[in-house]
Amino acid sequence: MYGFEAMTFNIHGGYLEAIVRGYRSGLLTAADYNNLCQCETLDDIKMHLSATEYGTYLQNEPSPLHTTTIVEKCTLKLVDEYKHMLTQATEPLSTFLEYITYGHMIDNVVLIVTGTLHERDVQELLEKCHPLGMFDSIATLAVAQNMRELYRLVLVDTPLAPYFSECITSEDLDDMNIEIMRNTLYKAYLEDFYRFCQKLGGATAELMSDLLAFEADRRAVNITINSIGTELTREDRRKLYSNFGLLYPYGHEELAICEDIDQVRGAMEKYPPYQSIFSKLSYGESQMLDKAFYEEEVKRLCLSFEQQFHYAVFFAYMRLREQEIRNLMWISECVAQNQKSRVHDSVVFIF
Amino acid sequence: MEYIDRLPSMDLMRSEKMMLAQLILPVESAHRAVSYLGQLGLLQFRDLNDDKSPFQRTFVNQVKRCAEMSRKLRFFKDQIHKAGLMLSPHPASETDIELEELEAGLAEHEHELIEMNHNCEKLQKTYNELLEFKMVLQKAGDFLMPDGNHSAAQDTELDENVHINSDYADSASLLEPMRHGYGYMQPGMSDQFGVKFVSGVICKSKALRFERMLFRTTRGNMLFNQAPADDPIVDLASNEMVENTVFMVFFSGEQARKKIHKICEAFGANCYPVPEDSIKRRQITRDVLSRLSELETTLDAGLRHRDAALSSIGFQLTKWMNMVRREKAIYDTLNMLNFDVTKKCLVGEGWCPIFAKTMVIFILDIFHNIADSQVGIIFHVMDSNESPPTFFRTNHFTNAYQEIVDAYGVAKYQEANPAVYTVITFPFLFAVMFGDWGHGICLLLGALVLIAREKRLGSQKLGSFMEMLFGGRYVLLLMSLFSIYCGVIYNEFFSVPFHIFGSSAYKCRDATCSKARTIGLIKVGDTYPFGVDPSWRGSRSELPFLNSLKMKMSILFGVSQMNLGIIISYFNARFFNNSIDIKYQFVPQMIFLNSLFGYLSLLIIIKWCTGSQADLYHVMIYMFLSPFEDLGENKLFWGQGVLQVILLLVAVIAVPWMLFPKPFILKRLHTERFQGRAYGILGTSDMYSDDEPDSARHPHGEEEFNFSEVFVHQMIHSIEFVLGAVSNTASYLRLWALSLAHSELSTVFYEKVLLLAWGYNNFMIHLVGLAVFAFATAFILLMMETLSAFLHALRLHWVEFQNKFYSGDGYKFKPFSFASLTDEDD
């Protein structure tokens, strides 16, 4: 149901919507990707990117470049843009923008906890964290021994605290636990984000519920595929699925009992929107599934720009930029490792 | 006709004649030849490698090297800026160095500088650590032993303390006695009770969170003491001074120690071991102090060394930057050139004004003699189907006016340039709206200041607003002169009338002048010789008279400026030998406009000259509604009725005249050409084959003639003109409206602020009134009103004047020139 957003949206959201649409027009184009794919060295990539919006971020880098530097600088640009928008935003847009980063926060928490478990240096781990998911005292995560401590010491101060209610146990941390924690947190996060968007109403609710439902379904499929052959029970697996989305509830019942990839496929093909994704894959193949999902996601994100007066454009822009950075990373890696024939394998075009 | 052709040509009227030149340069000397051309700055190279991405071009490596060098130079500049040194504005005049040398030199300098920075940083880090250690030692003394005396009763208190400590979480209010208790901690105590401590320094902003985290991890089994550090410390990452806090945590147990160390690490707090023994502590403090002073001298020496190196770089930095910028421009230009078949020569194409041809050839000849290479540079002129760029040679004065025109659209090649007329009409129309010689004098002073300081202001960087003012200083000058002129005619000086040209022709009916506003004045003498009679100010006849004057004047200006526009379209058509446009566009347009609004202007002039009472609205409206009716008392001259009927008829005929013939004639011409082409096709196929693929000679295929499109276009054009004749004339009434608004505003400020304040007999009120009046005059009348009058004048030129003749779809001539290479990348 549409409200009268057109009347009041621009009072607070108009400026930032214009900004984000401007940012979006700065995304790399088909011609840019064509040229990037023809590059011979990382310097060529730098030279090409210097003609795009990334120019100012890369121009002061000394010449023997590394893929990490390129990715780092490109991410820096995204973070700068995000911070600019966040400082300009008023409620409820600022909360919406903050929600976007919680996913990165969860990933960072998991990264640090796993890293400490394997006795890595904390500083080294911190460098690998996504800058959007940083919060105060993230480094202290290394102190915690189990979930309960993790929550009590550090996370209680962060926005992730409410999501933890499901997974407070006194068990010691191990890889399996951490992975379950990640998925439980993500589930709670997605559900909370979903509720928040529903509360906002209007076009935001409509578009965001679509995008988040896709995200939830994708996670459900990934959880299923990754948990095949592990000791995770069906009930536990079922618990990790988010309680909304196209697959909820009947699809989840089917996914929970899947034992191999073809069964997943059988379950998913009952849903028309996902048929097209699976029809691209041959039987028994799950390698290209990620790319297929990314392509579908990018398509949906781009479509959200077709409507005006809603917040989904911010979400879509952040996601698209992240996809672009992933593309740049893949291209740079391929160029750096002389694997140019594989350049097109993982690049998802954004137009 | 011959007379028009024999007129001397105006420089600014038509853009410079251009030619497409082809240059064939031997590869080995191409670089130097291009640098000579860059110095000359009169050749615009065409990009012959448009389809290639930047890194597929020939000189990509050189461009990359230049980018790398400019990165290093930026690094130096940044370093110099950070060190607080100044760049020397005048480049050192040393002998020229080669690019390779420079590159090596830069690399060396950079290496040296990075190493020095690294060393400095290391020293600074050690220094910071020692400084922090010193602070911890000092504060630790206070934590451990505030009074320095050892009370005999301490043991009992200590027992209490340990007891309280374990219950800490329950009663936070006991903090004070506990802190007090620890004050008496004495050497050896930690061994006795298993209480240990960690001391260190943490950033002040993190201290609170740090404490909370420690509290949570140890479940309250700890004591946190803190004191602000005395001096801020330089943070190495951000180079800023950071306030720090010294802390000391007391705790017990091995597990807690591990955790606390981890937390310290996570928060980036530096821990320093402090001996509990006060004698030992004093000794260490002495050690630290002596090492600190040593380090300080080393650090200073290091900094001086670095500053010396930086200032020697800074001496040449500007020169190097210019050089690298030039090199990069040269290679960018070389990247636009093509290799010829033998791969020994580079082929370039470019636009060049015809007057510069001899200069280019001369330069290339000189170069050939100097370089004495085997192969000369070949320069020859080519034909082109493409439209050449537009290049006007402007000077300081005309440049701003040309910019005003270019802001709308750059003139088509050789099209008549409206800037020629804009130079006078623009400031004049501005002044009609801004007529006040007081305000005009203020503007004039401003413009004169800008012009007097031209040299100084021109060489430095200004803010965006000043830049705009400075760029338009000559526009401002003429605007102010004209507004003084118009102000004298309107007799306005901050809305105060002045008797400049003798005494007024009118006087009041009685001594009190009370009826001036209601009934009017009586004429006693001769008409006031120049401008508006000053006595009318505030009288009954002021507004009706001024409105009638300004309104009619606006229409006269409008009709004449639009006529000028149409006449220029005639010159354009003549210049491009387009007789169709003259016959079927210029003539009917001229007739249409003048039969309606030209006639109105005529009526206005007759009315002014004869002093008739005729109602011109009535005349104009009934000329359309009932042309055959008798005019009655509105008749101005003999035969007016007949003339009106004729004019109306002519105007009605002019509309289809400008609409129909042109598209049909174009169609006929096209079919004639098409019939002739039956023989032409064979011939042209050869022409295609020997043509170079990327050349501008490439003939575009005969354009498809689409009659309906042409017809619709012509229809739009005609309708626009016919409707535009009415709306554009009405649009010129803004001259009247703005002029009225300006004079009313200044009257309000003068009467309601200044005179009101003067009515009181109080100095303060006078002062306040004067201040408000001055501010209102400066900001509202001088700034906002100037801006609005400027914008309206701009509109009148862009829309009402230029749409009669100006197509403005050309592109600017941008020669490859070192002079135009400013620091745009900084």
Side-chain angles (χ1 to χ4, degrees):
Chain A
M1 182 60 208
Y2 283 79
F4 291 93
E5 295 127 341
M7 256 164 73
T8 54
F9 183 87
N10 280 346
I11 300 171
H12 292 297
Y15 170 67
L16 280 178
E17 189 180 354
I19 291 281
V20 83
R21 281 174 193 273
Y23 283 155
R24 191 240 180 177
S25 61
L27 289 174
L28 299 180
T29 60
D32 286 326
Y33 278 112
N34 267 340
N35 283 330
L36 283 172
C37 290
Q38 290 167 14
C39 287
E40 296 289 340
T41 62
L42 288 181
D43 275 338
D44 286 344
I45 291 184
K46 174 187 165 188
M47 191 169 158
H48 187 83
L49 287 180
S50 66
T52 65
E53 293 205 342
Y54 291 114
T56 47
Y57 287 84
L58 282 169
Q59 70 174 0
N60 282 343
E61 286 310 306
S63 203
L65 273 175
H66 298 287
T67 318
T68 43
T69 333
I70 294 181
V71 174
E72 198 179 295
K73 291 292 161 187
C74 294
T75 316
L76 184 67
K77 177 179 153 57
L78 174 67
V79 173
D80 283 351
E81 286 170 352
Y82 173 78
K83 282 188 179 151
H84 176 71
M85 292 197 289
L86 189 65
T87 44
Q88 299 283 337
T90 51
E91 282 296 327
L93 178 56
S94 54
T95 314
F96 183 87
L97 286 175
E98 277 163 7
Y99 264 108
I100 295 176
T101 62
Y102 294 169
H104 292 296
M105 264 188 213
I106 295 172
D107 287 341
N108 284 352
V109 168
V110 171
L111 179 75
I112 300 260
V113 174
T114 327
T116 358
L117 205 65
H118 296 284
E119 313 211 318
R120 295 281 186 80
D121 182 36
V122 180
Q123 288 306 320
E124 193 184 309
L125 289 170
L126 281 179
E127 275 164 27
K128 283 186 188 161
C129 284
H130 198 286
L132 277 183
M134 292 303 241
F135 50 89
D136 296 337
S137 68
I138 187 169
T140 339
L141 286 170
V143 183
Q145 297 293 323
N146 57 34
M147 301 272 193
R148 192 180 290 281
E149 270 188 28
L150 204 60
Y151 175 70
R152 198 175 57 81
L153 292 183
V154 190
L155 296 177
V156 70
D157 287 338
T158 66
L160 299 183
Y163 307 150
F164 241 83
S165 56
E166 286 288 314
C167 48
I168 297 177
T169 56
S170 301
E171 280 176 69
D172 274 356
L173 293 166
D174 60 35
D175 281 342
M176 177 85 169
N177 271 337
I178 293 171
E179 206 48 42
I180 290 176
M181 175 184 89
R182 181 212 293 270
N183 284 309
T184 324
L185 283 180
Y186 232 105
K187 172 192 172 174
Y189 158 60
L190 283 179
E191 285 173 3
D192 189 31
F193 198 5
Y194 184 77
R195 272 194 302 277
F196 176 73
C197 293
Q198 291 300 323
K199 209 171 70 199
L200 289 178
T204 308
E206 190 198 28
L207 287 165
M208 280 309 292
S209 62
D210 186 41
L211 292 174
L212 288 174
F214 180 76
E215 177 79 18
D217 292 346
R218 184 174 67 178
R219 291 199 74 86
V221 172
N222 279 341
I223 290 167
T224 314
I225 293 176
N226 290 335
S227 65
I228 288 171
T230 59
E231 62 231 59
L232 199 71
T233 60
R234 284 175 187 177
E235 285 69 42
D236 284 345
R237 193 195 281 179
R238 175 79 185 75
K239 265 189 217 157
L240 295 178
Y241 300 150
S242 307
N243 286 332
F244 66 97
L246 209 58
L247 299 177
Y248 176 77
Y250 304 111
H252 287 171
E253 305 283 343
E254 285 189 58
L255 279 182
I257 54 166
C258 288
E259 291 299 335
D260 61 46
I261 176 83
D262 284 333
Q263 284 179 21
V264 175
R265 187 192 184 111
M268 294 298 285
E269 279 187 339
K270 290 176 188 158
Y271 294 88
Y274 301 122
Q275 251 172 15
S276 60
I277 293 176
F278 280 86
S279 65
K280 285 180 201 156
L281 308 174
S282 53
Y283 274 88
E285 186 191 354
S286 63
Q287 292 292 317
M288 297 297 282
L289 188 64
D290 269 347
K291 193 190 174 192
F293 267 121
Y294 276 136
E295 274 172 358
E296 176 68 18
E297 187 190 8
V298 162
K299 209 161 73 190
R300 287 172 184 234
L301 292 172
C302 285
L303 282 179
S304 71
F305 279 91
E306 303 292 316
Q307 278 192 52
Q308 223 187 326
F309 310 126
H310 62 88
Y311 293 156
V313 280
F314 297 96
F315 179 78
Y317 170 71
M318 298 297 287
R319 285 299 171 94
L320 287 176
R321 208 33 125 178
E322 279 164 26
Q323 181 62 45
E324 183 176 287
I325 292 169
R326 274 198 293 274
N327 288 344
L328 281 176
M329 180 158 73
W330 178 260
I331 294 174
S332 316
E333 278 298 342
C334 287
V335 169
Q337 298 177 9
N338 258 332
Q339 297 274 328
K340 279 185 68 185
S341 52
R342 297 191 56 203
V343 157
H344 288 280
D345 283 5
S346 183
V347 173
V348 179
F349 293 110
I350 303 166
F351 319 113
Chain B
M1 290 299 153
E2 285 77 38
Y3 172 72
I4 292 168
D5 290 333
R6 271 187 282 115
L7 284 174
S9 65
M10 281 190 277
D11 271 347
L12 206 54
M13 186 68 173
R14 309 268 169 208
S15 65
E16 291 298 330
K17 283 209 175 75
M18 289 288 180
M19 60 179 187
L20 184 68
Q22 191 178 44
L23 278 169
I24 300 177
L25 310 162
V27 176
E28 60 275 10
S29 58
H31 176 265
R32 287 185 64 188
V34 169
S35 82
Y36 271 75
L37 289 172
Q39 234 129 29
L40 182 67
L42 281 169
L43 196 65
Q44 175 183 3
F45 284 94
R46 293 176 68 245
D47 194 352
L48 301 180
N49 301 324
D50 225 0
D51 50 337
K52 286 186 188 163
S53 59
F55 51 85
Q56 286 170 330
R57 299 189 176 202
T58 328
F59 295 96
V60 59
N61 282 325
Q62 283 85 338
V63 172
K64 267 192 221 162
R65 270 167 55 197
C66 289
E68 179 69 17
M69 275 192 274
S70 55
R71 182 192 65 75
K72 280 176 189 150
L73 289 171
R74 276 198 302 272
F75 172 69
F76 294 147
K77 199 177 173 188
D78 191 45
Q79 288 291 322
I80 288 172
H81 186 69
K82 260 190 196 159
L85 300 171
M86 291 296 288
L87 277 179
S88 72
H90 303 293
S93 53
E94 256 181 59
T95 46
D96 277 337
I97 35 170
E98 286 295 310
L99 197 65
E100 279 72 23
E101 265 175 65
L102 179 64
E103 194 176 12
L106 286 183
E108 200 176 301
H109 281 306
E110 194 198 16
H111 186 69
E112 201 180 329
L113 209 57
I114 286 177
E115 199 155 298
M116 269 194 268
N117 274 345
H118 187 66
N119 287 339
C120 272
E121 210 162 285
K122 249 182 7 203
L123 282 177
Q124 184 77 42
K125 202 177 160 205
T126 331
Y127 180 74
N128 277 357
E129 275 170 8
L130 280 175
L131 205 62
E132 285 177 358
F133 195 17
K134 185 190 94 182
M135 286 191 285
V136 171
L137 282 171
Q138 279 168 355
K139 300 287 171 190
D142 299 344
F143 293 146
L144 292 173
M145 221 179 311
D147 305 318
N149 65 339
H150 305 274
S151 161
Q154 59 184 347
D155 282 353
T156 49
E157 276 194 44
L158 268 176
D159 278 348
E160 229 173 57
N161 269 331
V162 178
H163 177 66
I164 291 164
N165 205 0
S166 57
D167 288 341
Y168 180 68
D170 299 332
S171 54
S173 63
L174 290 172
L175 187 76
E176 203 40 49
M178 209 170 58
R179 174 188 269 267
H180 180 67
Y182 266 107
Y184 295 96
M185 181 157 12
Q186 67 168 51
M189 189 207 76
S190 61
D191 302 336
Q192 241 172 306
F193 299 100
V195 176
K196 295 171 189 140
F197 65 84
V198 169
S199 55
V201 173
I202 191 168
C203 174
K204 196 178 177 186
S205 56
K206 287 186 192 165
L208 193 69
R209 265 188 287 121
F210 182 58
E211 187 180 352
R212 191 165 56 203
M213 187 56 64
L214 286 173
F215 183 83
R216 277 192 201 142
T217 6
T218 56
R219 297 175 185 261
N221 292 320
M222 61 103 203
L223 176 71
F224 189 79
N225 273 343
Q226 57 174 345
D230 300 329
D231 336 291
I233 283 178
V234 181
D235 182 32
L236 290 175
S238 60
N239 231 342
E240 276 169 17
M241 297 303 251
V242 181
E243 296 267 336
N244 284 315
T245 300
V246 177
F247 66 86
M248 190 171 249
V249 195
F250 299 97
F251 57 89
S252 67
E254 187 58 24
Q255 204 64 27
R257 197 181 66 82
K258 257 191 210 162
K259 278 183 179 168
I260 289 175
H261 272 294
K262 261 189 182 171
I263 292 173
C264 287
E265 201 183 318
F267 273 90
N270 300 322
C271 298
Y272 299 97
V274 178
E276 286 171 34
D277 186 3
S278 65
I279 302 162
K280 232 187 226 171
R281 210 158 56 222
R282 232 167 281 149
Q283 195 187 335
I284 292 181
T285 316
R286 262 201 307 280
D287 274 5
V288 167
L289 282 176
S290 72
R291 276 179 66 196
L292 262 177
S293 63
E294 263 171 44
L295 255 180
E296 213 158 327
T297 44
T298 333
L299 206 61
D300 277 354
L303 277 177
R304 265 202 304 281
H305 186 54
R306 198 189 66 173
D307 283 357
L310 277 178
S311 57
S312 79
I313 291 173
F315 201 53
Q316 304 211 351
L317 195 63
T318 327
K319 183 185 155 200
W320 289 345
M321 280 169 108
N322 280 334
M323 186 171 162
V324 169
R325 211 174 285 141
R326 278 179 180 209
E327 286 297 322
K328 185 156 184 296
I330 290 173
Y331 284 117
D332 278 339
T333 310
L334 284 175
N335 269 336
M336 294 185 188
L337 309 185
N338 242 345
F339 271 108
D340 77 337
V341 201
T342 59
K343 294 267 173 195
K344 278 182 187 155
C345 290
L346 282 167
V347 182
E349 283 175 17
W351 295 105
C352 164
I354 284 185
F355 73 83
K357 183 182 172 185
T358 49
M359 280 192 257
V360 173
I361 292 175
F362 182 63
I363 283 275
L364 290 176
D365 266 353
I366 290 178
F367 169 72
H368 182 60
N369 290 339
I370 294 172
D372 82 319
S373 58
Q374 306 260 304
V375 200
I377 294 168
I378 301 165
F379 178 89
H380 64 90
V381 181
M382 306 183 352
D383 307 326
S384 163
N385 282 2
E386 209 177 299
S387 167
T390 311
F391 176 42
F392 292 109
R393 277 195 282 179
T394 54
N395 52 27
H396 280 283
F397 185 77
T398 47
N399 189 38
Y401 298 96
Q402 187 64 53
E403 291 288 315
I404 288 177
V405 171
D406 284 350
Y408 174 79
V410 177
K412 208 164 70 182
Y413 177 61
Q414 294 256 292
E415 187 182 26
N417 182 10
V420 179
Y421 306 96
T422 306
V423 173
I424 294 302
T425 54
F426 184 84
F428 178 68
L429 287 189
F430 169 86
V432 169
M433 295 181 266
F434 196 79
D436 186 318
W437 56 281
H439 296 149
I441 286 171
C442 295
L443 282 191
L444 181 65
L445 291 178
L448 287 179
V449 167
L450 284 176
I451 290 168
R453 293 187 174 183
E454 191 172 85
K455 281 233 168 67
R456 190 137 56 90
L457 290 173
S459 59
Q460 70 197 51
K461 246 190 178 151
L462 306 162
S464 63
F465 184 71
M466 268 309 278
E467 184 105 45
M468 213 163 64
L469 270 185
F470 180 69
R473 60 199 181 280
Y474 288 108
V475 183
L476 209 60
L477 176 74
L478 280 197
M479 287 192 323
S480 61
L481 288 179
F482 275 113
S483 53
I484 292 171
Y485 169 71
C486 285
V488 170
I489 292 181
Y490 296 160
N491 211 331
E492 297 238 25
F493 177 87
F494 297 109
S495 90
V496 187
F498 273 85
H499 295 261
I500 312 171
F501 303 100
S503 59
S504 164
Y506 293 86
K507 84 173 195 210
C508 298
R509 284 169 190 274
D510 50 20
T512 53
C513 232
S514 56
K515 286 180 181 160
R517 212 169 267 283
T518 47
I519 299 172
L521 307 162
I522 353 169
K523 188 168 180 177
V524 287
D526 289 334
T527 315
Y528 192 67
F530 186 85
V532 176
D533 197 313
S535 298
W536 283 348
R537 161 77 48 187
S539 74
R540 193 176 78 104
S541 47
E542 183 199 6
L543 267 187
F545 175 78
L546 280 182
N547 282 349
S548 149
L549 168 77
K550 286 177 180 173
M551 189 173 11
K552 286 171 183 150
M553 202 173 66
S554 311
I555 288 177
L556 290 186
F557 289 146
V559 171
S560 29
Q561 200 183 19
M562 287 191 291
N563 268 317
L564 175 66
I566 301 175
I567 290 169
I568 297 175
S569 83
Y570 164 76
F571 284 104
N572 262 346
R574 257 185 78 82
F575 185 83
F576 295 115
N577 281 329
N578 195 345
S579 60
I580 301 174
D581 270 359
I582 296 179
K583 279 184 213 150
Y584 306 108
Q585 208 146 309
F586 165 70
V587 174
Q589 282 183 354
M590 211 54 191
I591 290 172
F592 184 81
L593 183 70
N594 285 315
S595 64
L596 301 180
F597 296 101
Y599 173 63
L600 175 63
S601 311
L602 182 75
L603 289 183
I604 289 171
I605 292 169
I606 291 175
K607 188 176 165 180
W608 276 348
C609 294
T610 57
S612 141
Q613 300 268 319
D615 184 0
L616 295 188
Y617 297 114
H618 192 271
V619 175
M620 282 310 284
I621 290 169
Y622 281 88
M623 174 175 166
F624 293 99
L625 293 183
S626 48
F628 301 106
E629 203 172 277
D630 187 33
L631 283 162
E633 60 176 4
N634 289 325
K635 189 164 175 166
L636 279 160
F637 56 89
W638 181 84
Q640 194 183 359
V642 182
L643 181 69
Q644 279 188 13
V645 173
I646 295 171
L647 285 177
L648 195 62
L649 266 179
V650 173
V652 169
I653 292 168
V655 177
W657 186 355
M658 67 178 104
L659 173 59
F660 293 111
K662 195 182 161 190
F664 287 101
I665 290 170
L666 284 178
K667 187 182 174 171
R668 207 191 64 222
L669 283 177
H670 179 261
T671 40
E672 273 169 15
R673 210 179 306 154
F674 185 73
Q675 279 166 348
R677 230 179 83 170
Y679 302 99
I681 289 169
L682 273 176
T684 51
S685 63
D686 291 338
M687 227 174 76
Y688 277 110
S689 57
D690 64 9
D691 214 40
E692 283 162 49
D694 286 322
S695 160
R697 276 191 268 171
H698 193 92
H700 298 286
E702 195 64 39
E703 282 152 52
E704 202 62 23
F705 185 82
N706 190 341
F707 178 74
S708 62
E709 204 172 284
V710 172
F711 188 78
V712 167
H713 186 259
Q714 183 67 21
M715 198 158 78
I716 291 172
H717 203 78
S718 312
I719 292 175
E720 196 192 314
F721 181 83
V722 171
L723 295 182
V726 182
S727 67
N728 290 352
T729 311
S731 180
Y732 274 95
L733 289 177
R734 71 184 70 229
L735 292 174
W736 158 48
L738 264 99
S739 162
L740 177 70
H742 182 85
S743 79
E744 289 300 308
L745 259 180
S746 56
T747 311
V748 165
F749 289 129
Y750 175 68
E751 282 179 4
K752 300 291 169 201
V753 178
L754 201 60
L755 290 189
L756 195 75
W758 244 246
Y760 294 92
N761 204 3
N762 183 333
F763 177 69
M764 276 314 287
I765 293 179
H766 288 190
L767 208 65
V768 169
L770 196 66
V772 172
F773 176 72
F775 270 101
T777 305
F779 288 103
I780 298 182
L781 291 173
L782 284 178
M783 280 174 64
M784 309 251 299
E785 276 283 291
T786 310
L787 204 63
S788 95
F790 184 92
L791 289 178
H792 282 282
L794 204 61
R795 186 218 140 97
L796 287 178
H797 279 84
W798 281 354
V799 181
E800 274 76 25
F801 176 49
Q802 292 182 12
N803 76 359
K804 302 286 183 296
F805 66 98
Y806 190 59
S807 57
D809 53 357
Y811 62 102
K812 240 185 175 157
F813 178 58
K814 288 199 194 86
F816 167 60
S817 149
F818 291 145
S820 63
L821 286 179
T822 46
D823 26 27
E824 77 259 326
D825 52 353
D826 295 339

